[in-house]
């Protein structure tokens, strides 16, 4: 053994600064060294898991209670499952039979509890410009949603008309009754289509209230304020209050109330 080998051996034996020199253990041939020990993984504390479960359960219970209400379910259904209104974009609507036409959105069906949100999204997709037309054909529906629809129509400077259209954009008569009239009143210009009909009646609440008379007065006041804001005569509220059945306004009556601002035919 050489001096170098002897010195290397001594260095290998001096692995500990104190105590006798100890030779490191030798691994059998072909065996890999053991991996270093891993620190223990941190596990979720029991209370953390319990609190998480309670939070999730609370959210689920609240959502169930909200959706279990008939009004909430009807809104959810009207918004996401089966909207009560349908729409169609008309590239060129010929209101008066002339060659000049306007872009229009035809909206038909019952005004449901989520109609205003649905209507706004359809207007965005239709890309109507101020002066374009919302063509309505509806038996009515939710009063509050119809008012919001009318506000949306007015804020965008759109016009309204009642009826439908054929394949070439020629307008056909239709009807708009009850809450639909409130949406129609939102038009900056409100066209009176010859043969179309506007129907009004007294609005009542279907929910149980402690004072039905006060509630009826509140609704009448709200309708009067909205119609006045839209430039319609207060006499329309008088016509509404006369009957719970639909009262169909004649073209002359609708024009006298300023409900129709631009008649397209002779009243």
């Amino acid at each position: 053994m050489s001096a170098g080998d002897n010195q290397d051996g001594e260095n290998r034996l001096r692995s500990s600064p104190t105590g006798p020199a100890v030779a490191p253990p030798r691994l059998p041939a072909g065996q890999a060294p053991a991996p270093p020990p891993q620190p223990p993984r941190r596990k979720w504390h029991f209370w953390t898991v319990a609190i998480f479960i309670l939070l999730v359960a609370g959210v689920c219970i609240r959502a169930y209670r909200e959706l279990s209400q008939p009004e909430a379910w009807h809104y959810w259904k009207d918004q996401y499952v089966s909207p009560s209104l349908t729409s169609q974009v008309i590239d060129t609507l010929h209101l008066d039979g002339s060659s000049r036409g306007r872009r229009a959105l035809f909206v038909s069906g019952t005004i449901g509890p989520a109609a205003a949100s649905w209507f706004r999204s359809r207007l965005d997709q239709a890309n109507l410009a101020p002066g374009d037309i919302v063509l309505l054909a509806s038996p009515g529906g939710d009063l509050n949603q119809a008012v919001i629809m009318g506000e949306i129509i007015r804020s965008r400077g759109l016009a309204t008309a009642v009826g439908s259209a054929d394949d070439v954009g020629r307008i056909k008569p239709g009807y708009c009754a009850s809450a639909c009239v409130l949406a129609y009143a939102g038009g900056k210009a409100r066209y009176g289509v010859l043969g179309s009909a506007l129907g009004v009646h007294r609005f009542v609440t279907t929910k149980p209230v402690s004072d039905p008379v006060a509630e009826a007065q509140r609704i009448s006041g709200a309708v009067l304020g909205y119609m006045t804001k839209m430039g319609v005569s207060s006499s329309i509220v008088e016509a509404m209050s006369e009957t719970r059945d639909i009262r169909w306004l004649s073209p002359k009556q609708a024009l006298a109330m300023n409900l129709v601002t631009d008649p397209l035919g002779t009243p």
Side-chain angles (χ1 to χ4, degrees):
M1 180 181 298
S2 64
D5 293 337
N6 187 30
Q7 185 176 2
D8 291 340
E10 290 179 359
N11 291 336
R12 285 195 297 268
L13 293 177
R14 294 172 184 171
S15 58
S16 175
T18 61
V22 178
R26 295 185 178 181
L27 295 174
Q31 182 176 350
Q38 298 291 334
R41 295 183 178 179
R42 185 178 181 181
K43 298 182 179 179
W44 280 17
H45 195 274
F46 169 78
W47 289 111
T48 303
V49 177
I51 293 173
F52 175 76
I53 293 174
L54 289 175
L55 289 175
V56 172
V59 172
C60 293
I61 291 173
R62 181 177 179 182
Y64 171 77
R65 287 178 178 176
E66 290 179 353
L67 289 178
S68 64
Q69 300 296 324
E71 296 83 2
W73 164 244
H74 292 156
Y75 181 91
W76 186 86
K77 180 181 177 182
D78 193 44
Q79 178 72 21
Y80 301 107
V81 180
S82 56
S84 55
L85 291 173
T86 60
S87 66
Q88 178 186 355
V89 176
I90 303 173
D91 291 327
T92 306
L93 178 67
H94 303 285
L95 274 175
D96 53 2
S98 65
S99 58
R100 186 177 67 88
R102 302 183 188 180
R103 189 173 178 85
L105 180 68
F106 172 53
V107 178
S108 62
T110 302
I111 300 173
S117 177
W118 175 92
F119 178 64
R120 182 182 288 107
S121 65
R122 294 305 183 278
L123 280 180
D124 293 339
Q125 296 173 10
N127 196 27
L128 299 186
D132 287 341
I133 299 169
V134 176
L135 188 61
L136 296 165
S138 169
D142 191 290
L143 173 66
N144 294 325
Q145 294 295 302
V147 168
I148 298 173
M149 290 173 64
E151 296 278 8
I152 294 171
I153 291 171
R154 178 60 62 90
S155 67
R156 301 193 181 201
L158 301 173
T160 52
V162 176
S164 59
D166 60 16
D167 295 338
V168 295
R170 291 175 300 193
I171 197 164
K172 299 188 297 183
Y175 71 93
C176 173
S178 187
C180 176
V181 175
L182 301 179
Y184 171 80
K188 191 171 183 180
R190 299 182 286 271
Y191 294 103
V193 177
L194 186 63
S196 289
L198 291 162
V200 298
H201 69 102
R202 184 187 313 134
F203 288 102
V204 295
T205 180
T206 57
K207 299 179 182 179
V209 293
S210 58
D211 191 341
V213 175
E215 180 65 14
Q217 291 176 346
R218 185 194 68 80
I219 294 174
S220 297
V223 172
L224 175 60
Y226 169 78
M227 286 298 197
T228 303
K229 178 181 178 180
M230 296 302 168
V232 182
S233 171
S234 60
S235 59
I236 191 172
V237 178
E238 298 175 9
M240 290 177 177
S241 62
E242 292 177 357
T243 176
R244 294 186 61 174
D245 298 325
I246 298 294
R247 174 185 173 181
W248 298 103
L249 302 175
S250 68
K252 287 184 178 180
Q253 289 173 328
L255 189 60
M257 296 175 180
N258 206 39
L259 182 59
V260 171
T261 61
D262 294 87
L264 298 178
T266 303

